[in-house]
Amino acid sequence: MTTRATAAVPPGAAAPATDTAAPGPAATGRDAILLAARRAFTQRPYAEVTIRGIAADAGVSASLVVKHFGRKEQLFNTVADFGPAAEELLDAPLHGLGRHMVLTLVRRRREQKGDPLLRVVFSLGNHDERSLLRDRFHEQVTARLTERLPGRERALRAELIAGHLIGLGATLSLHREGAGSRATPEHLADLYAPALQSLVEG
C-alpha cells in the first residue's frame, strides 16, 4: 500500500465519535486486537501504524496479532471489511427490517463493545488508505441495501437508512452514559425504527 497526505484533526479538537473504544478488561485476545487495530487504522495514517503498537494497545504480544490476523495489510483489510456487519444488519424480512437493524446495531454495540459501522466516519476527508473504508462501506452496506429495497429511489433511500444507522451509533457513543445507555434495545427500536421502516418501504 502507498500512503498519501491525510487531513489531520486540528490541535485541541476532539476526534469524531467512533466504534473503537479502548479495549476493556473483558476484551481479550482476538477481540482486543481488533478493537486496537480499529483505533489505530482509523485514527492514524496507514504508514504510521505498526503491529507492535497495536499489540501494545491490545495488551498482547505482536506474535499473537500475527497469529490471528497475519501481516499489517491483512489486518487492515479486516478492519475495512463491513461484510459481516451487513450480513447481520440485513438478515430480516423487509416488513421488519427497520426494527431488526436497530436491535442488531444496539445489541452488537453492547455485547462486543464496538459499533459495526461507525468507523466509516474516519474515511471522510481522508485520501490515504482510510478512504478504502468509505469504498467498502458503499459496496458492502449501501449497495447491498439498495438491492433489497422495493420501489423508487432505492439508492437514495439506502443512503438515508445508512445515515440513520451511523447517526444512531454516533449518538450512543456521544452520550455513553446518557439515557440511551439505560434504555433497552427494544425501547430504542420502538422509538427509532419507524423512521427506518418508512424508508425501507418507500
Side-chain angles (χ1 to χ4, degrees), residues 26-39:
T28 58
R30 192 180 190 280
D31 291 340
I33 295 167
L34 188 53
L35 284 171
R38 286 178 174 176
R39 286 170 56 85

Side-chain angles (χ1 to χ4, degrees), residues 98-99 102-103 164 168 179-180 183-197:
R99 184 175 185 83
V102 174
L103 289 173
H164 272 287
L168 176 58
T184 65
E186 291 75 16
H187 186 49
L188 289 172
D190 289 341
L191 296 173
Y192 205 82
L196 289 177
Q197 191 61 34

Side-chain angles (χ1 to χ4, degrees), residues 54-66:
I54 290 170
D57 191 23
V60 301
S61 67
S63 62
L64 187 61
V65 177
V66 174

Side-chain angles (χ1 to χ4, degrees), residues 91-105:
D91 186 22
L94 284 176
H95 65 80
L97 185 58
R99 184 175 185 83
H100 170 80
M101 288 190 290
V102 174
L103 289 173
T104 299
L105 185 142

